[in-house]
Amino acid sequence: MSANEIVLKEEIAPQTYRYVVRHPKIARKRRAGQFVILRVHEGGERVPLTIVDSDPEAGTVTLIFQAVGHSTRELAELEVGDQVLDLAGPLGQPTHIENFGTACVIGGGYGTAPVLPIAVALREAGNELLGIVGARTRELVILEEELQALCSRLEVATDDGSYGHHGFVTDVLQKLLDEGQKIDFVLAIGPAPMMRAVSDLTRQHGIKTMVSLNPLMVDGTGMCGGCRVEVGGETKFACVDGPEFDGHLVNFDLLMKRQATYKPQETEACQLESHCRLSEHLRH
Ligand code: FES
């Protein structure tokens, strides 16, 4: 097995893939909440992906991604035995883990992937775990079984009502709180509007809430400023200061505005099926 080699490829939901990639150093060093930046080929865009799991003995890391942009589609074209060009990491701050008491982990869509390693660490620290997984529709619900094994209670919500609760993860969280469920800590990862809605709800109940931000990243080392976010009125870089921040302090309006900035370029790159120039747009 050579470094950066894909040793397992699985489509776990439509256009959502689980890759197990050989990288002994990252497998040994990584902690919950950290991520890697990979490039599929020379000149390719840098793609940040959460490390979902690792096996230090086998020297492998597990990554989950959705093939939605030009670069992730290129990544999805690789097969077992192929190598990604490079894999940098582990990057970012590890999640602050402690025994909060009862922790509720909430994953929205593909955001459920980064939730999993943190759920494992929270459970290992002695927390009782509740889980809420949301998706647009049933076939996009991922990692339900894995989270089920960790949580004393796991609820699913789908936007179209095809599975579990018909509605949003915040409806389910509200229901738990209305039932008098004790919740001491919430971790929410998913689309920015979902993380904002969760944070607004938990703020009313005084529940400490962490969210994981996914602004565009270029170098992943705090040099380019591409991933800057505003937290508590201060500028932070998601790649080195995060990716997790206090959900009650994040300026979600600014985050969403910045996320939308490069949509036209990404769309153009995907339509042309040319090499994605997103990182170049970011630099100029
Ligand atoms: S990705 Fe460049 S500063 Fe964070």
Side-chain angles (χ1 to χ4, degrees):
M1 240 193 314
S2 17
N4 306 345
E5 181 183 336
I6 297 164
V7 297
L8 185 128
K9 175 182 181 179
E10 246 183 311
E11 190 170 2
I12 58 169
Q15 297 192 322
T16 306
Y17 297 88
R18 185 199 320 253
Y19 277 12
V20 175
V21 183
R22 182 164 165 76
H23 200 299
K25 199 174 122 224
I26 298 177
R28 259 195 325 273
K29 284 181 66 182
R30 76 99 197 182
R31 286 165 60 200
Q34 291 186 297
F35 63 97
V36 293
I37 288 192
L38 65 76
R39 280 191 308 162
V40 177
H41 55 75
E42 199 65 57
E45 189 192 5
R46 293 173 170 88
V47 185
L49 293 175
T50 301
I51 305 165
V52 176
D53 196 6
S54 70
D55 182 337
E57 276 175 25
T60 56
V61 292
T62 302
L63 310 171
I64 292 180
F65 65 96
Q66 235 181 355
V68 287
H70 179 80
S71 298
T72 44
R73 281 186 204 159
E74 283 185 333
L75 181 59
E77 281 168 15
L78 300 181
E79 298 297 341
V80 169
D82 289 342
Q83 283 170 274
V84 295
L85 178 70
D86 47 40
L87 203 60
L91 300 169
Q93 298 296 324
T95 307
H96 170 76
I97 300 288
E98 63 176 71
N99 189 348
F100 295 100
T102 303
C104 181
V105 293
I106 306 177
Y110 156 72
T112 308
V115 161
L116 183 62
I118 302 168
V120 170
L122 286 168
R123 190 76 195 83
E124 281 172 1
N127 289 278
E128 182 183 346
L129 268 198
L130 308 171
I132 308 173
V133 172
R136 270 190 289 121
T137 189
R138 179 177 195 139
E139 60 178 0
L140 297 176
V141 173
I142 59 167
L143 303 173
E144 185 186 358
E145 220 171 276
E146 289 84 344
L147 284 168
Q148 189 88 60
L150 298 164
C151 297
S152 55
R153 180 171 175 184
L154 182 75
E155 303 267 352
V156 177
T158 49
D159 295 0
D160 64 0
S162 54
Y163 188 39
H165 171 81
H166 186 174
F168 300 122
V169 291
T170 36
D171 304 336
V172 179
L173 181 60
Q174 181 73 66
K175 184 185 80 175
L176 295 179
L177 292 166
D178 290 347
E179 285 172 6
Q181 172 67 55
K182 177 173 107 63
I183 299 176
D184 305 298
F185 174 75
V186 166
L187 167 83
I189 309 181
M194 167 255 180
M195 293 192 286
R196 171 158 66 183
V198 169
S199 302
D200 286 346
L201 178 56
T202 56
R203 185 184 290 112
Q204 296 164 28
H205 294 265
I207 304 170
K208 182 178 170 65
T209 300
M210 296 301 281
V211 297
S212 181
L213 304 186
N214 55 347
L216 288 161
M217 289 190 190
V218 181
D219 63 336
T221 60
M223 302 293 283
C224 71
C227 70
R228 68 181 177 278
V229 291
E230 193 185 289
V231 182
E234 284 177 29
T235 296
K236 299 277 181 191
F237 293 153
C239 68
V240 288
D241 300 319
E244 281 148 44
F245 295 100
D246 184 334
H248 298 155
L249 299 178
V250 170
N251 183 338
F252 283 105
D253 284 339
L254 191 65
L255 176 72
M256 288 190 264
K257 220 159 99 193
R258 286 185 56 76
Q259 280 176 335
T261 307
Y262 298 99
K263 276 264 160 55
Q265 288 91 332
E266 174 70 11
T267 307
E268 183 194 344
C270 291
Q271 282 167 351
L272 293 172
E273 282 304 318
S274 62
H275 288 307
C276 183
R277 299 294 176 210
L278 186 55
S279 50
E280 287 174 27
H281 282 296
L282 276 167
R283 269 185 229 117
H284 296 140

